[in-house]
Amino acid sequence: MDPQDHVGLISIMPAALAIVLAFMTRNTVFSLAVACFAGVIALGNGLMGFPTLLKETLGTTSFSWILLLELFIGTVIAFFQRTGAIQNFTAWVERRALTRVRVQLIAWLMGMFVFFSDYFSPLFVGSTMRGLTDRYRVSREKLAYIADSTSAPVSVLVPITGWAVFISGLLIGMGPIENATQAMGVFLHAIPFNLYAWLSVLVVGLVIIGVIPLFGPMRKAERRAQEEGKVLRDGAEPLIGEELTEIPAYEGARTSLLLNFFAPVLIVIGVAVGTFIVMGSAKTMEAFLAAAVFLGIVMRLQGIPFNDIMKTSISGMKGVMPAIIILALAYSLNQLSKDMGTANYIVEATSAWLTPSLLPAMTFLIASLIAFSTGTSWGTFAIMMPLAVPLAFNFSADAITPLVYVTVSAVAGGGVFGDHCSPLSDTSVLASTGAASDHIDHIKTQIPFALAVALLSLAAYLLIGITLT
């Protein structure tokens, strides 16, 4: 589809319908399904368009990858719980004279530590810290916010992640950028200008220690948790199956914190980072497969029956099914948005605003709108980099200048912001899953903070654009 190809204003209808229904009904699966059905009808594909869309979208390598990744992560988390590893980790951390603020700071630091995967980070932080944060009356919405805001924002700032490789790969061939080395150099120079990502991570820490006061729905959620002891609101539906949250520790197993918790985590980090260094691509799914196999063998050596290990593995897979269903429908909606030219319509409708001084701010704004509408940061990068960066080179006479760096960072930051606020976002879904939070409650409590950071970033990009031109 050419940049100008779209079906007009109707192209934003499915995404807009999904978002509105999600907030109205608080049921993300229903909202996504209705939006996909309405979209295929609008495209004239008839009643069979919906199952055809699902078949074509989900029968792909990319969805198979995330499906297997989630299943393996669910298995690892289930093994953590069956061996008592999470309980042992909780007890180990509690011996460090904790306070409510320190517990949240640990979650914040853990999210930044697991920088290599925006998929693993929110699930790992949420599932390992949930017991502690519940004990210290931290709302599930707050835990999901901490996990979400230390996943993608950190991944997009670190040059040894798949995010860096993907973004730099998109830059090759633009202007004077001829190879991967030059592209990575541009990415590195753009990191200081990625204002939304930096501020997102910083604001979480400032909110935790009380420098930035709570406001909006988050304040209400935290007050409920502290005063009533309810980490979830009445009627909330945690985005995780009971099969995963209610797995008891196996009685009599000779488990250890080192073998059953720290070693698998180090395997995941070692395989992911090691394959990135050696192969240029972090094999995250394979890393979790290795960790699951390692844990299964260790559990058997520790006296846990083989049938129990397999049953626990299946329970873990069942536990992540709510997230997988939402991700499947979100992938389908994203494909539908591509077919309808949603991003192309947004770009065309706003292209007249793009002047040299407004380029960084407008790039950030447009990237935010696309990511919010589609629920994908990487899809936004793929659309906006080939559109915005060549414009920056055109304004800079084909030279690599600060305007180019700022434009690259504006695309990256806008993609992360839109992804943060969208109920269709995969990383937000995983943050809700890890924290066992109601998904829409997570989005509603996170939006005010994300929006405040985005407005500050937008103002800064406007000033930078004016200064550079």
Side-chain angles (χ1 to χ4, degrees), residues 18-32 141 144 217-218 232-233 235-239 326 420-425 428-429 431-433 436-448:
I19 292 166
V20 170
L21 285 177
F23 284 111
M24 288 179 60
T25 66
R26 293 181 178 271
N27 192 306
T28 312
V29 172
F30 170 79
S31 304
L32 287 168
E141 295 95 324
M218 185 71 79
L232 289 164
R233 66 170 174 82
E237 297 184 6
L239 189 59
I326 290 179
H420 253 174
C421 295
S422 177
L424 317 179
S425 162
S428 293
V429 168
S432 299
T433 303
S437 168
D438 183 290
H439 183 51
I440 300 303
D441 287 349
H442 163 46
I443 296 297
K444 289 179 68 175
T445 51
Q446 178 166 273
I447 281 180

Side-chain angles (χ1 to χ4, degrees), residues 97 238 301 411:
L301 294 175
V411 173

